Amino acid sequence: MNPIARRIRVTGIVQGVGFRPFVWRLAQELKLTGWVRNDAEGVEIAAEGATTQVDALLQRLRAEAPPLARVDSVHANDAAPVGQAEFSIVESAGGALSTTAIGPDVAVCGGCLAELFEPADRRWRHAFITCTHCGPRYTVTRALPYDRPQTSLAPFPLCPECASEYGSPADRRFHAETTCCPLCGPRLSLIDGQGQAIAGDPIAETLRLLQSGAIVAIKGLGGFHLACDARNGEAVAQLRWRKNREEKPFAVMTANVASLAPYARSSQKEQALLESRERPVVLLRAQPDCAAALPGVAPGLIWLGAMLPTTPIHFLLFHDAAGRPSGNHWLAAPQAMVLVMTSANPADEPIVRTGAEALTRLAGIADAILDHDREIVCRCDDSVMRILDQRPQFIRRSRGYSSAAIRLPQTGPSLLAFGAHLKSSVCVTRGNEAFLSPHIGDLDNAATCDFFDETVERMLDLLEVKPAIVAHDLHPDYYSTRAAIAFAARHGLPTVAVAHHHAHIAAVCAEHGWRGPLLGLALDGVGLGPDGAAWGGELLKVDGAQCARLGHLRPLPLPGGDRAAREPWRMAAAVLHEQGRNVEISAHIPEAGAGIVANMLERNTNCPRTSSMGRVFDAATGLLGLCSHMKYEAQAAILLEQAATRHIEVHGWPPALDNGWIIDRKGQLDLLPLLASLDGAADVDQAAARFHATLVAALTDWVERAAKASGITTPAWGGGCFHNALLSVHLRQSLEQRGITVLAPVRLSPGDAGIALGQAWVAIESLES
């Protein structure tokens, strides 16, 4: 039988994940000759051999791909045989990128952990152990194709033993670009807050400092964490004071799920998410005595954000705390140490990336800095997730996930979308893929705006994209909008302005590949509407680039403007005013400024109106006395949700309030009757539960009426209010009971982090309309 030859193109996440060694091993097994290489499009293969064997290679490329790989396509073309004697891995080829992508940063794999804690292994306690199945990718890569010279490992030439592993096709580190060992790899260093070296083993000394109550900045994959002993109330209080973080909860890290059990409950799905290679922070239900055991970590909350070790440095700290046992049996046993692990940054600024930054930006915050000389090329904060109704939901999509493309249903010109003002992210499209940046943050300070600009350039350079169109928010004063317009002007590009709530729903359309009309339920804090008003509780008809407002919440006044979004008592006063009870505000609300606010409402002075659902939650919280002044974003809504949760866990889901809402002929949903029912409630938790039950019933009625009137039976939802578990779970169930299936965000947060994808989708659709 004459041999055949094929040129094979594989696209997807196929660089830096052991794909070429995988192909080499398949070729050896199938007795094929030829070669495999990385190039700008992904992986290219030249294979020669028997027809059945070449066909088997094509089938197995997808079916047996390495664990970190994502194969998007496999295409094969006939080629002329050249009669090569063997199969080899050859030098990477250059060229313009079109389909390849870099993989995400993932946690240490089981194989590396076994070596890390085996005293006889040459990588015993090596803080940078990695292989083709684990470790950094996105945060160490400068450019594609993904080869060592293009990463921050380039300054570390391989020693003979590592070079032998790197060149051995049978080895787990065959062409592992980040591989190294204690002889040739990066080095740890520990310095105090003044930059002076601290003598001794950096890991052992870091542990000593943590156990003594110190705050240590620890370099991770995408930036530094600030760590302290979570069981030490004084250390936690000191971290709060230094970081100016009065009440916002911290995340904690434990050695394993067993170590977390005394502090939080976790289901099988939550445990799987905690132990996943992406290692997000997972929001869990706290144990009853968690607040006493971890004083000040999550003050006043019944939830706890928790994560497991991600990097070898994390594992080594827990190994030292366990007494440095031999082997890895200890990894499954409960360990006593619990660490606060929070992003290392001054309040609201980007995460610290370099040791030099740490010395200046963390001055007065960190007592010591555990650093190393492997550069973090780009910042990438922790991802945050929770399980809702047996489904994972993103609260923040970043490390471990941000480099993964979202497939679009069609190919088009490249677009650059600049996203929202809060929880900012950037989106770049290339062909039929959309790439969202890691979490950037709120564009309220110069440091974050600089990071935003840096991220735009980084994504365009890494993906080698020259956008044809720029999309941005309608709001003219947002930094993201000004940056988009300036970028477009510099490059001579057209711009597309997209309304905030249209973008929320369009992001869901993009993720699900939905092309056609649907209903959009957009519920959030605020976004500029096309009419120049502050929107936030919207029922829309969305059809690609077209968006029509079918209805909205009854607008409420914002006494004091944006200040009302931070002080829920003002929204409570607004509700009393809307009920015709303005004269009762001063006596009813124990705030020094209540009389002034009552007068503002009476005169309609600095009281712009908003249809925001977020402000409805604030009003409910203020009326129930759960929160009068917020110390962090969404605190009021969180406290309202947890009050309801406490009641529901004991008594179940309550009935909705009769006559708790009104829907008029213009599609306006009036929740004032529901809000009025909360005033003077004797059982606050019960009232909070009833609020949620009635809100779900009202929204169900609203969507169902719109579906019947429009003939559109598929709704999509988006907006930060859908982080509320009670709202999301019960509204989905209520609609499904009526035969209405909802499209909801899956691979994105429902909040503003997904806005950039929605902007890009609207811009794409506008080209075809």
Side-chain angles (χ1 to χ4, degrees):
M1 181 182 297
N2 293 327
I4 65 166
R6 296 272 173 83
R7 277 291 182 94
I8 302 166
R9 159 71 56 208
V10 186
T11 67
I13 298 179
V14 290
Q15 295 188 14
V17 293
F19 204 87
R20 290 174 298 168
F22 156 70
V23 173
W24 184 91
R25 287 189 287 271
L26 286 182
Q28 302 305 307
E29 180 183 335
L30 296 170
K31 302 188 183 330
L32 300 175
T33 61
W35 48 260
V36 59
R37 68 181 179 186
N38 283 343
D39 66 10
E41 295 185 51
V43 166
E44 185 181 17
I45 304 165
E48 298 184 26
T51 301
T52 56
Q53 303 299 80
V54 174
D55 289 345
L57 172 68
L58 290 169
Q59 190 273 327
R60 293 173 69 180
L61 287 173
R62 280 188 183 275
E64 301 173 21
L68 296 185
R70 190 197 76 214
V71 176
D72 291 339
S73 66
V74 178
H75 296 294
N77 295 310
D78 292 336
V82 295
Q84 288 187 239
E86 59 183 9
F87 195 93
S88 58
I89 295 177
V90 299
E91 291 279 329
S92 296
L97 294 178
S98 61
T99 56
T100 196
I102 190 63
D105 304 302
V106 296
V108 188
C109 70
C112 285
L113 286 175
E115 296 169 343
L116 187 64
F117 301 120
E118 172 49 59
D121 194 275
R122 74 187 190 92
R123 289 188 176 88
W124 179 65
R125 293 183 55 81
H126 175 46
F128 306 94
I129 193 168
T130 183
C131 70
T132 55
H133 303 316
C134 68
R137 299 288 189 282
Y138 182 79
T139 56
V140 298
T141 302
R142 301 186 191 284
L144 294 172
Y146 177 74
D147 288 314
R148 193 179 184 94
Q150 311 243 60
T151 73
S152 57
L153 272 293
F156 303 96
L158 296 173
C159 69
E161 282 190 88
C162 286
S164 175
E165 293 169 339
Y166 182 90
S168 173
D171 198 281
R172 196 174 83 249
R173 295 186 173 87
F174 184 42
H175 281 257
E177 307 302 345
T178 57
T179 193
C180 58
C181 75
L183 290 178
C184 62
R187 298 285 188 272
L188 288 173
S189 61
L190 181 65
I191 59 175
D192 64 21
Q194 288 70 49
Q196 300 301 308
I198 297 175
D201 181 324
I203 295 291
E205 289 302 306
T206 296
L207 179 64
R208 179 186 63 78
L209 287 166
L210 291 169
Q211 290 174 334
S212 69
I215 298 166
V216 183
I218 298 174
K219 196 171 188 177
L221 286 173
F224 283 78
H225 287 103
L226 287 169
C228 71
D229 184 349
R231 299 163 300 168
N232 184 331
E234 290 184 8
V236 174
Q238 188 66 216
L239 178 56
R240 286 199 174 282
W241 182 79
R242 294 182 188 180
K243 205 174 182 227
N244 192 25
R245 185 165 168 155
E246 192 172 347
E247 293 182 15
K248 189 175 181 180
F250 289 129
V252 298
M253 178 182 285
T254 61
N256 47 43
V257 169
S259 306
L260 188 57
Y263 311 104
R265 305 196 300 254
S266 56
S267 66
Q268 287 187 344
K269 286 186 179 292
E270 287 166 337
Q271 291 177 18
L273 195 54
L274 283 163
E275 294 173 337
S276 67
R277 64 195 183 205
E278 291 84 4
R279 285 295 201 276
V281 175
V282 181
L283 198 60
L284 304 172
R285 185 68 160 84
Q287 297 284 19
D289 57 351
C290 177
L294 305 177
V297 168
L301 299 182
I302 61 173
W303 292 287
L304 179 68
M307 63 191 300
L308 302 185
T310 302
T311 70
I313 293 172
H314 297 152
F315 279 103
L316 290 173
L317 286 169
F318 284 101
H319 188 228
D320 264 26
R324 292 196 180 187
S326 297
N328 59 7
H329 61 279
W330 67 276
L331 287 171
Q335 305 296 325
M337 186 168 74
V338 185
L339 297 175
V340 166
M341 280 284 180
T342 187
S343 301
N345 56 337
D348 301 323
E349 291 188 5
I351 190 170
V352 166
R353 182 176 67 89
T354 69
E357 267 188 73
L359 271 174
T360 56
R361 293 180 59 206
L362 300 180
I365 301 177
D367 297 307
I369 300 167
L370 180 59
D371 195 7
H372 57 71
D373 53 355
R374 185 184 72 199
E375 182 185 358
I376 297 172
V377 174
C378 68
R379 304 171 213 271
C380 195
D381 220 325
D382 297 323
S383 293
V384 184
M385 302 181 74
R386 73 190 303 182
I387 296 292
L388 289 185
D389 199 22
Q390 303 302 307
R391 301 174 176 93
Q393 184 198 62
F394 281 102
I395 297 171
R396 182 168 74 198
R397 183 181 187 264
S398 201
R399 178 183 51 75
Y401 300 95
S402 58
S403 63
I406 292 174
R407 298 296 296 275
L408 303 175
Q410 80 278 1
T411 297
S414 292
L415 295 152
L416 171 60
F418 277 68
H421 181 73
L422 302 177
K423 298 176 180 62
S424 175
S425 67
V426 174
C427 180
V428 174
T429 69
R430 188 187 65 188
N432 66 341
E433 294 179 312
F435 297 86
L436 275 94
S437 72
H439 168 75
I440 296 171
D442 298 348
L443 300 176
D444 288 329
N445 57 72
T448 307
C449 292
D450 288 345
F451 177 34
F452 179 89
D453 295 338
E454 169 189 313
T455 301
V456 170
E457 295 303 323
R458 151 89 176 169
M459 291 191 68
L460 294 176
D461 289 347
L462 187 62
L463 297 169
E464 292 189 6
V465 163
K466 292 184 177 180
I469 302 174
V470 173
H472 59 81
D473 194 271
L474 272 182
H475 202 301
D477 295 330
Y478 283 174
Y479 180 81
S480 58
T481 300
R482 298 198 306 270
I485 292 171
F487 181 95
R490 288 196 304 273
H491 297 276
L493 300 175
T495 63
V496 176
V498 182
H500 186 90
H501 298 95
H502 186 186
H504 267 310
I505 304 306
V508 183
C509 295
E511 181 182 348
H512 290 274
W514 184 271
R515 309 198 72 186
L518 48 62
L519 299 175
L521 186 60
L523 307 177
D524 64 2
V526 68
L528 185 69
D531 61 357
W535 289 17
E538 312 304 320
L539 187 57
L540 309 171
K541 176 186 175 182
V542 173
D543 189 358
Q546 304 303 312
C547 180
R549 195 184 200 188
L550 301 181
H552 57 83
L553 297 186
R554 170 181 173 156
L556 293 174
L558 290 168
D562 289 345
R563 191 169 176 182
R566 301 188 296 273
E567 299 178 8
W569 72 267
R570 291 173 177 261
M571 293 309 303
V575 169
L576 295 177
H577 173 78
E578 292 292 287
Q579 290 178 258
R581 299 169 60 192
N582 186 281
V583 295
E584 301 176 35
I585 290 174
S586 294
H588 199 82
I589 297 177
E591 291 287 337
I596 297 173
V597 164
N599 189 49
M600 290 169 59
L601 288 162
E602 184 68 26
R603 295 172 177 269
N604 193 25
T605 302
N606 193 19
C607 292
R609 288 185 170 262
T610 178
S611 57
S612 165
M613 178 61 81
R615 301 296 76 79
V616 171
F617 276 97
D618 292 347
T621 309
L623 288 164
L624 291 173
L626 286 166
C627 180
S628 59
H629 296 75
M630 285 193 280
K631 302 299 192 299
Y632 55 89
E633 185 187 7
Q635 183 181 19
I638 290 168
L639 294 175
L640 183 68
E641 179 186 356
Q642 78 170 22
T645 300
R646 285 193 297 259
H647 177 86
I648 292 164
E649 287 180 344
V650 176
H651 302 286
W653 187 251
L657 179 71
D658 292 335
N659 303 315
W661 68 94
I662 301 167
I663 301 175
D664 68 16
R665 292 181 179 179
K666 294 183 178 180
Q668 176 177 274
L669 173 60
D670 184 355
L671 296 173
L672 196 61
L674 169 58
L675 292 169
S677 74
L678 303 177
D679 186 30
D683 186 331
V684 170
D685 287 2
Q686 180 188 55
R690 189 176 66 238
F691 170 85
H692 281 83
T694 307
L695 179 60
V696 165
L699 292 171
T700 301
D701 185 16
W702 202 27
V703 171
E704 190 174 25
R705 290 192 195 194
K708 290 178 180 178
S710 66
I712 302 171
T713 57
T714 300
W717 71 40
C721 291
F722 288 103
H723 284 308
N724 183 305
L726 297 177
L727 174 62
S728 294
V729 171
H730 289 275
L731 182 56
R732 181 194 290 272
Q733 292 173 354
S734 179
L735 289 169
E736 287 179 347
Q737 287 168 5
R738 289 159 177 78
I740 299 173
T741 301
V742 176
L743 297 181
V746 177
R747 298 184 63 194
L748 297 174
S749 160
D752 283 3
I755 288 287
L757 176 62
Q759 292 171 350
W761 179 257
V762 172
I764 290 170
E765 292 285 83
S766 69
L767 295 175
E768 302 183 8
S769 60

